[in-house]
Amino acid sequence: MARRKNTENRVDLSAFDQAGANVIDNPLTTEVEDSYLEYAYSVIHSRALPDARDGLKPVHRRILWSMSEQGHRPDRAYVKSARVVGDVMGKYHPHGDVAIYDALVRLAQDFSLNAPLIDGHGNFGSPDDGPAAARYTEARMSREAMLLVGELGEGTVDFKPTYDGDDIEPRVLPAAFPNLLVNGTSGIAVGMATNMIPHNLGEVVAAARHLITNPEAELDELMRFVPGPDLPTGGQLLGLDEVRRAYETGRGVVRMRARAQTGLLEGGRGRQAITITELPYGIGAEKIIEAITDEVKGKLITSGPRRGQRQAARLQGIADVKDLTDREHGTRLVIECKVGVNPQALLADLYRLTPLESSFGINNLVLVDGQPRTLGLKALLEVFVQHRYDVVTRRTEYRRTKRQDRLHLVDGLLIALIDIDRVVAIIRASDDAAAAKSGLMSEFGLSDIQATYILDTPLRRLTRFDRIELETEQERLRNEIAELSRILDNEDVLKQVVSDELAEVTAEFGRPRQTTLIDGDLKEVLAASVPAGPLEVADDPCQVILSATGLIARTAAESEESTEARKRSGRVKHDTVRAIIHSTARGRILLITNRGRAFKTDVLPLPVLPEQSGTVSLRGGMSASELVPLEKGERVVGLAPLTAGDSPGIALGTRQGVVKVCAPEWPVRSDEFEVITLKEGDEVLEATWLMNGAESLVFITSDANLLRFPAKLVRPQGLKGGGMAGVNLSPEASVISFNAVSTSDPSHGEPMVVTSTGAQVKVSPFASYPAKGRATGGVRAQRFLRGECELTVAWVGPRPVGASSTGEPVELPEPDARRDGSGVAVMMGPQLIGHHIERD
């Protein structure tokens, strides 16, 4: 059946023409194109792109203008953010409240802006989370915002009607500092976008001032003042060659990197950790943790035939990740490494696979005279400086006009005061105010304004004292007008005023740079930052050394060739070695303290001794307190391996003469335990790992007695044992030295005994002292001279050396075969005694 034509709803255009209506017959394509262009123009000019002069989009400018008009200034109380949003939306910005509040929030975020323009009170969000609702937060203008609006009342900028014509708003703000470069911005328009990176206020102002005095300055000159961006979140910026390209063309890509440091995990028993203290701009800690989790477990595939499965993990060596960020300490993201993992290599993987290293695409697209333009650094500074010239010129003209108007009134008053009686007579003789004004004008040659002002002035002001005040004011006004005229008439003076005002801004609001710049080509910088070496450290043999000053270090893994070379070359450089044990780079050892406690710790975190000409220096070691949680006054006195082998255990000697051989039965699940139960006031002097039990145990007391007996006389005990009597002490004496000495190891030299009273030092052969039974008194080791009553330092071992408390070497005398001799005087008695050990 044929479709019936609908003729009832057809519009007859001729009827409109006859009625006088203006009907335009426009093709649909033309109408769509025109409408789209109007929309695009509106987005570009009224929403998305900032003005190059004040660096603000319309919504930001309207927020600041509205808050200034409402009096929400830094010296006033906070107001609800919802109140500010409502006022802006109702009067100036005909868009949604969400968009206005989002813009207000960004102005208050110190992690988004170098100079926040809103002083926010409440939860204004973080790089990971959004802010609280507008009804929960409060806001007022910041002190920096007052620099943008402070000159609005002096005719400095043009105004335009608001969208409904009921009010007016500024087309641009006076902007006393380069807000666009300092705070940056971002926005997406139609077919174009802007993304500007923040800079340091002091550096940008310094460049602007240089441009004022040197308008022909090249980009490289300006980059001496602005070497690169300065991000609110700190971090590092890689590849300044790309930065220069962006400064020259207005476009470029810079690489941001988090600031990280590797070291021991706090409270982690010597485990290594990577601590992140500054993140790339716009990146939050939660985003980092999420990325690490995805790379450790493998990303979840969301499409394709393997949907729901996980990709292979690309990140290895991480034991745990903790976000310890707080308001007091700032950003603190701790990444704990697994045992045996090289933290530098792991950090390189983190930079490569997570947002700890991110890019920022610079696109300096701004509005200049209403037209979108992409500007480099110099052009942006030139636009701002010219804007300041215009603002200061209009402000100066406004101020001069105000002062000229006031001077005109003051001149009229002074004329009237000279002949006040005649003025009063004219006024009294006049029929009305108009006649009085006319009489004054004709009699004294006054203007209409002057005559009106005289008639409005109370008689109480027309006194002799007021005349003096008026003459003073007249002189001041003339001087101020002359100074303002000098600014307007001399371009150099105008430039100096602008430069001085910028300097005042820096003095009040400048702050140190937060972002570290790494120079060079980006590809070369990235290649140079990749550490050499594998992620996991090889479990090669090494030696762990404890010095007499409490420093601990390890030797590097070595080949047989390097071992033989060191044997031939000589000794290890150090203050003095207290203990040395063999281990592996990824092994674990025991640290024994004077409180009788033992701590398990990893060998890997220990610093590797630097090598020089076949020797190593122990000055690069770390303090034991950095490895384990020592109490006040507690110190490490010995080392021991975790594996026993043929050893009977650890030989311990205490200040009260107790000896113990602790059997090597260490608890499996505890990293901290006691190896001896000490009596009150007692402490462990030395803890020595016995190789086979054939060693001699030696006590030296403060009253110069030495007791030597075989280690096999001491029965090994468990951890809870309190030891047994080692040496008999006289009532006032105490043990000052305990050692385990091997007499069957000629490769390290003959054991020697060193005793010192501070002034006298004696070195004697250990073989001169006979062995006795355990728990006896021993034999005399040194004869006291007049005024001497006790030994201060003693030690037994091969190849003795002496050192001061700072590790400086002290030369010891030649050996004396007399075991009860008095020794010889030295310039500085040894405070630390140890020995040189060749590398085995």
Side-chain angles (χ1 to χ4, degrees):
M1 185 172 117
R3 180 178 298 175
R4 185 174 61 184
K5 294 183 179 180
N6 186 356
T7 58
E8 297 178 358
N9 296 326
R10 181 175 295 175
V11 178
D12 187 0
L13 298 180
S14 61
F16 286 93
D17 291 337
Q18 295 174 1
N22 185 18
V23 179
I24 299 175
D25 190 4
N26 198 20
L28 179 61
T29 55
T30 304
E31 181 65 28
V32 170
E33 289 175 357
D34 292 344
S35 298
Y36 185 77
L37 285 175
E38 289 183 13
Y39 164 74
Y41 181 85
S42 174
V43 171
I44 292 171
H45 287 81
S46 302
R47 297 180 69 177
L49 299 185
D51 193 294
R53 295 168 292 179
D54 61 4
L56 297 173
K57 299 179 188 178
V59 62
H60 298 132
R61 188 179 302 116
R62 287 163 178 166
I63 289 172
L64 296 179
W65 166 246
S66 174
M67 295 183 74
S68 177
E69 285 292 281
Q70 297 300 317
H72 306 320
R73 305 190 177 188
D75 56 346
R76 308 286 180 84
Y78 292 97
V79 296
K80 285 290 185 181
S81 299
R83 176 178 170 184
V84 176
V85 170
D87 187 73
V88 172
M89 183 172 57
K91 292 183 178 179
Y92 307 108
H93 199 65
H95 300 281
D97 59 329
V98 175
I100 297 173
Y101 183 54
D102 287 345
L104 183 148
V105 165
R106 187 179 187 276
L107 294 181
Q109 293 174 336
D110 57 2
F111 55 83
S112 297
L113 276 64
N114 275 328
L117 304 178
I118 297 294
D119 180 6
H121 185 256
N123 177 15
F124 278 83
S126 70
D128 291 308
D129 300 315
R135 62 183 179 274
Y136 298 121
T137 62
E138 297 177 324
R140 64 184 179 189
M141 299 177 71
S142 69
R143 293 168 58 239
E144 291 87 345
M146 297 305 299
L147 296 175
L148 299 182
V149 303
E151 301 160 307
L152 277 174
E154 297 183 284
T156 51
V157 296
D158 295 330
F159 282 74
K160 65 179 181 180
T162 56
Y163 71 94
D164 58 2
D166 289 343
D167 209 332
I168 59 173
E169 60 177 323
R171 294 182 181 273
V172 67
L173 297 184
F177 71 94
N179 174 61
L180 185 59
L181 281 167
V182 171
N183 284 327
T185 190
S186 63
I188 300 176
V190 177
M192 58 185 68
T194 184
N195 199 32
M196 301 189 65
I197 197 165
H199 292 77
N200 184 273
L201 186 147
E203 294 176 354
V204 173
V205 167
R209 296 185 67 201
H210 181 76
L211 193 62
I212 290 173
T213 55
N214 302 276
E216 303 302 322
E218 298 294 334
L219 176 61
D220 290 333
E221 291 183 56
L222 298 177
M223 287 190 66
R224 291 185 315 180
F225 302 96
V226 186
D230 186 25
L231 307 175
T233 53
Q236 298 175 314
L237 212 62
L238 312 181
L240 293 190
D241 289 353
E242 192 67 26
V243 172
R244 191 192 185 284
R245 189 175 298 111
Y247 283 169
E248 184 176 12
T249 64
R251 292 177 179 269
V253 179
V254 296
R255 196 75 169 170
M256 304 177 296
R257 176 179 283 182
R259 190 183 303 278
Q261 58 186 14
T262 59
L264 294 175
L265 178 66
E266 185 176 351
R269 299 292 192 269
R271 301 191 67 141
Q272 293 274 41
I274 300 171
T275 303
I276 311 296
T277 55
E278 295 176 4
L279 293 173
Y281 184 54
I283 303 297
E286 291 184 11
K287 187 180 296 185
I288 299 295
I289 294 174
E290 181 180 355
I292 291 175
T293 302
D294 287 342
E295 294 298 340
V296 170
K297 295 182 178 179
K299 290 184 178 179
L300 191 66
I301 301 174
T302 58
S303 60
R306 295 181 58 199
R307 181 178 180 181
Q309 301 180 18
R310 290 190 178 274
Q311 297 177 349
R314 298 191 296 172
L315 199 55
Q316 307 291 333
I318 295 179
D320 194 12
V321 181
K322 298 177 182 178
D323 185 7
L324 304 180
T325 302
D326 55 33
R327 292 185 177 180
E328 181 179 356
H329 301 96
T331 301
R332 184 174 170 81
L333 187 63
V334 180
I335 302 170
E336 184 178 343
C337 305
K338 290 182 179 178
V339 175
V341 170
N342 179 0
Q344 293 294 340
L346 177 58
L347 181 58
D349 286 344
L350 288 169
Y351 284 145
R352 180 172 56 88
L353 299 173
T354 72
L356 285 176
E357 188 173 290
S358 305
S359 297
F360 187 101
I362 298 176
N363 185 15
N364 298 337
L365 182 65
V366 294
L367 293 177
V368 180
D369 297 328
Q371 299 298 319
R373 290 179 56 191
T374 301
L375 304 182
L377 176 64
K378 182 177 180 181
L380 287 168
L381 289 171
E382 287 174 337
V383 172
F384 169 76
V385 169
Q386 185 58 51
H387 177 55
R388 286 306 298 170
Y389 289 159
D390 296 339
V391 167
V392 173
T393 298
R394 295 178 63 165
R395 183 191 69 193
T396 304
E397 291 174 345
Y398 176 88
R399 292 177 179 178
R400 185 175 69 173
T401 300
K402 285 291 185 181
R403 283 158 178 76
Q404 288 173 339
D405 292 344
R406 176 60 185 170
L407 180 60
H408 186 60
L409 297 177
V410 170
D411 289 341
L413 275 178
L414 287 173
I415 291 173
L417 283 174
I418 293 174
D419 196 355
I420 187 63
D421 294 333
R422 180 60 180 157
V423 171
V424 173
I426 291 173
I427 295 174
R428 292 186 63 186
S430 301
D431 295 333
D432 52 26
K437 181 169 67 173
S438 177
L440 292 174
M441 292 172 63
S442 60
E443 180 70 20
F444 297 102
L446 301 174
S447 67
D448 182 272
I449 296 174
Q450 288 175 321
T452 301
Y453 186 69
I454 291 171
L455 291 173
D456 293 339
T457 302
L459 287 175
R460 67 175 180 270
R461 289 205 55 197
L462 304 179
T463 64
R464 179 166 60 89
F465 296 106
D466 279 313
R467 178 177 176 178
I468 296 174
E469 293 178 3
L470 288 172
E471 289 176 345
T472 303
E473 183 181 2
Q474 183 187 51
E475 182 65 22
R476 177 177 57 81
L477 289 171
R478 287 174 177 171
N479 292 336
E480 291 178 354
I481 291 171
E483 181 63 27
L484 293 171
S485 298
R486 193 167 72 91
I487 296 174
L488 295 173
D489 298 338
N490 192 325
E491 185 178 351
D492 292 337
V493 177
L494 173 64
K495 290 181 177 180
Q496 189 61 47
V497 170
V498 173
S499 179
D500 291 344
E501 291 179 353
L502 287 173
E504 292 175 3
V505 171
T506 300
E508 184 174 1
F509 297 98
R511 66 175 184 177
R513 162 174 284 276
Q514 299 184 84
T515 300
T516 302
L517 303 176
I518 301 179
D519 198 2
D521 179 75
L522 180 58
K523 292 182 179 180
E524 295 178 359
V525 171
L526 292 176
S529 63
V530 176
L535 175 63
E536 294 190 359
V537 178
D539 199 20
D540 294 326
C542 67
Q543 291 176 326
V544 181
I545 302 174
L546 171 67
S547 81
T549 53
L551 299 179
I552 304 177
R554 65 181 172 94
T555 60
E558 54 191 6
S559 63
E560 294 182 3
E561 292 79 3
S562 62
T563 300
E564 292 301 323
R566 288 195 183 98
K567 283 184 177 181
R568 294 191 301 268
S569 64
R571 301 174 174 179
V572 179
K573 297 178 180 178
H574 46 60
D575 43 15
T576 60
V577 169
R578 183 166 197 164
I580 184 167
I581 61 171
H582 295 273
S583 183
T584 61
R586 293 172 58 180
R588 305 192 81 194
I589 60 171
L590 279 181
L591 304 183
I592 298 95
T593 75
N594 62 324
R595 303 281 176 84
R597 295 199 297 167
F599 296 90
K600 294 179 184 177
T601 186
D602 296 321
V603 173
L604 185 62
L606 298 177
V608 179
L609 296 177
E611 301 187 16
Q612 298 175 347
S613 302
T615 64
V616 291
S617 172
L618 217 155
R619 296 188 184 277
M622 69 163 50
S623 172
S625 60
E626 300 180 50
L627 281 170
V628 294
L630 300 180
E631 299 175 352
K632 185 177 181 180
E634 189 173 16
R635 62 187 184 279
V636 174
V637 296
L639 305 176
L642 289 183
T643 55
D646 296 331
S647 172
I650 304 173
L652 302 103
T654 76
R655 190 169 297 278
Q656 295 180 3
V658 175
V659 65
K660 176 183 178 180
V661 173
C662 184
E665 300 171 354
W666 321 130
V668 176
R669 298 186 178 182
S670 177
D671 287 345
E672 176 185 338
F673 50 89
E674 288 187 354
V675 292
I676 185 174
T677 301
L678 294 173
K679 297 179 181 179
E680 184 176 356
D682 200 3
E683 66 172 340
V684 177
L685 291 178
E686 189 85 19
T688 304
W689 179 252
L690 300 177
M691 299 303 296
N692 51 25
E695 295 88 349
S696 294
L697 303 184
V698 185
F699 284 93
I700 302 179
T701 65
S702 59
D703 57 356
N705 285 321
L706 183 150
L707 174 62
R708 164 187 173 184
F709 57 87
K712 62 183 180 181
L713 297 181
V714 183
R715 176 177 52 83
Q717 295 179 326
L719 297 178
K720 299 298 183 181
M724 58 188 68
V727 60
N728 285 339
L729 296 174
S730 59
E732 301 297 328
S734 62
V735 177
I736 62 170
S737 175
F738 171 78
N739 299 90
V741 179
S742 176
T743 57
S744 60
D745 185 11
S747 62
H748 289 104
E750 180 185 3
M752 307 296 289
V753 177
V754 181
T755 54
S756 173
T757 61
Q760 302 290 121
V761 177
K762 181 172 74 73
V763 179
S764 54
F766 181 62
S768 301
Y769 299 87
K772 299 183 68 176
R774 180 181 59 82
T776 60
V779 298
R780 181 175 297 277
Q782 179 156 338
R783 179 183 300 165
F784 292 134
L785 298 179
R786 181 177 299 177
E788 297 178 341
C789 60
E790 65 177 4
L791 295 179
T792 58
V793 177
W795 182 84
V796 181
R799 298 187 182 178
V801 296
S804 67
S805 59
T806 60
E808 299 301 323
V810 174
E811 186 176 352
L812 297 179
E814 292 297 322
D816 184 353
R818 298 173 302 168
R819 67 172 187 245
D820 61 345
S822 300
V824 297
V826 294
M827 294 183 60
M828 179 174 60
Q831 296 173 321
L832 304 173
I833 297 294
H835 58 284
H836 284 304
I837 292 186
E838 290 180 345
R839 301 287 300 276
D840 289 330

